Amino acid sequence: MTGSATRLGPGAACAMDADAFRAAMRHFPTGVTVLATSGPAGPHGMTANAVISLSLDPPTVLAAVHHRTCTYTILRSAPTFTVNVLAADQEDLAVAFARSSPDRDPFDRAAWQPSVLTGDPTLTRSVGVLHCRVTERIDVTDHTLVIGTVIDATVHRPEAAPLVFARGGFHALAGPPPAGPGSAG
């Protein structure tokens, strides 16, 4: 057994070992998305797996964005963004958007178009896309939680296996898609 826990009282600080936390979280699979927005210099995007559905009424999502990313700089003031859910055959885009830099623009290798609703990048070969209006930003340590109301959602490729990330690598979600809208599978 690795790691250890000490019972803490209310208000006590936790001296968690970062490597133990990282090792435990590697076993928690997450979906892989490209969070995208537009700025004065054009489109910006980043690979994000810390994205969750927060509410159905109204439809709301939350994305955790690290302060060191170029996209964070734009999202600090952007009124809108898109969440592009990647398919298993888009692992190369996940890597490209995770390693983007001013001299390597991942949009150069992605099929995309501006959203007709917001102007933000929509990856046309993604499984689907959520078009979001920012409703709140909450700073938490070295990340900002960007909360957005979903103003439109589109599924481009319902038959495509979604890309997931677990144990330090990318994987395809196995199995056929659900039988229909709202199906529990």
Side-chain angles (χ1 to χ4, degrees), residues 35-37 46 48 50-54 60-67 69 71-83 120 132-140 143-150:
L35 195 66
T37 191
M46 61 174 268
V51 176
I52 63 167
S53 168
L54 195 58
T60 306
V61 295
L62 177 149
V65 181
H66 198 288
H67 293 166
T69 66
T71 303
Y72 165 73
T73 304
I74 305 301
L75 272 174
R76 278 191 315 208
S77 59
T80 57
F81 63 96
T82 57
V83 177
D120 296 321
C132 304
R133 185 183 76 247
V134 175
T135 54
E136 193 170 355
R137 294 175 183 88
I138 303 168
D139 289 328
V140 179
H143 282 68
T144 294
L145 305 179
V146 180
I147 300 171
T149 300
V150 180

Side-chain angles (χ1 to χ4, degrees), residues 43 45 70 95-109:
C70 295
V95 172
F97 278 95
R99 296 185 179 153
S100 64
S101 65
D103 59 323
R104 288 189 322 227
D105 186 356
F107 286 102
D108 289 343
R109 57 191 310 183

Side-chain angles (χ1 to χ4, degrees), residues 137-183:
R137 294 175 183 88
I138 303 168
D139 289 328
V140 179
T141 63
D142 58 355
H143 282 68
T144 294
L145 305 179
V146 180
I147 300 171
T149 300
V150 180
I151 58 175
D152 193 43
T154 304
V155 176
H156 296 293
R157 297 170 56 200
E159 76 292 345
L163 184 63
V164 296
F165 188 81
R167 296 183 177 170
F170 295 107
H171 308 276
L173 184 63
S183 173

Side-chain angles (χ1 to χ4, degrees), residues 4-6 8 12-21:
S4 63
T6 303
L8 302 174
C14 179
M16 176 68 204
D17 175 56
D19 289 335
F21 177 69

